[in-house]
Amino acid sequence: GTICGSSDAIIQHCMRCDPMSHYTHTHRHNDVRDAIAKVVRSYGIPVTTEPRFYANCYETLSDQRPDITFHTNPKIATDVTIVSQDGDVGCAAHEAATVKKRIHTTAVATLGHLFVPFAMEVFGHRDKSCFDLVRAIMTSIPDHLHRQFVFDMHHGVSTALAAARATSLIS
């Protein structure tokens, strides 16, 4: 029901409107989540996606659970969030990270785990939280692999997000 007068408007609308494509925001989210898990696993760190062991740690059922737990010491949990830009670049991602911290930090801490959100915007802008997560995981990786790990994380996430945007438009 939205009239788009240009190619840019169509692309912008496609990234926000699930009915416009068979490839929804959930697919995009899961692709980025899986890319993060794949890179971290490739460095020998066990990962649990969609962990169920936080189920009794939340006050309400609507809060659900984080997306990934990295079995480092201490364990680190994250919730991947990909939002559309709203206003200035980075504002929506920052707000999303703040909301995720409020939802998950206390529940995850109940099990002695650390929560670090992973919030970014659909066209690639990463909130500071993304870099914080990479640094937190990096403490469990040998020093000589740090530069390669940072590269692999950013490459994996960027590639998954770009492929997801392209798939949304194509479908």
Side-chain angles (χ1 to χ4, degrees):
T2 301
I3 297 173
C4 299
S6 68
S7 296
D8 286 346
I10 292 170
I11 292 169
Q12 289 290 336
H13 185 71
C14 181
M15 295 302 119
R16 293 176 185 257
C17 179
D18 281 349
M20 189 171 175
S21 172
H22 296 293
Y23 193 85
T24 67
H25 73 280
T26 303
H27 295 100
R28 181 171 52 230
H29 166 275
N30 291 346
D31 286 352
V32 171
R33 178 203 62 204
D34 294 345
I36 293 168
K38 181 178 179 180
V39 170
V40 174
R41 281 183 183 122
S42 76
Y43 282 83
I45 297 173
V47 173
T48 302
T49 55
E50 303 298 336
R52 305 235 183 256
F53 41 82
Y54 298 109
N56 297 324
C57 301
Y58 290 91
E59 293 179 20
T60 67
L61 292 175
S62 64
D63 291 337
Q64 299 179 356
R65 63 182 180 269
D67 290 318
I68 308 172
T69 298
F70 306 98
H71 297 273
T72 56
N73 189 16
K75 288 183 172 74
I76 302 166
T78 193
D79 197 67
V80 176
T81 307
I82 305 168
V83 295
S84 296
Q85 181 181 333
D86 188 23
D88 292 337
V89 172
C91 290
H94 178 72
E95 179 61 29
T98 302
V99 169
K100 292 298 182 176
K101 279 182 193 176
R102 189 179 73 244
I103 292 170
H104 297 294
T105 300
T106 303
V108 167
T110 302
L111 297 182
H113 302 176
L114 174 67
F115 179 77
V116 182
F118 191 92
M120 60 189 307
E121 293 177 358
V122 73
F123 289 105
H125 177 82
R126 290 174 176 89
D127 177 66
K128 174 186 169 299
S129 63
C130 299
F131 301 98
D132 293 343
L133 179 65
V134 171
R135 277 192 297 276
I137 297 168
M138 213 166 48
T139 62
S140 297
I141 294 173
D143 290 350
H144 69 281
L145 296 175
H146 285 186
R147 286 181 61 162
Q148 188 63 47
F149 176 72
V150 170
F151 174 84
D152 290 345
M153 282 290 283
H154 293 303
H155 181 266
V157 168
S158 297
T159 302
L161 188 59
R165 286 192 310 264
T167 305
S168 289
L169 287 171
I170 291 168
S171 76

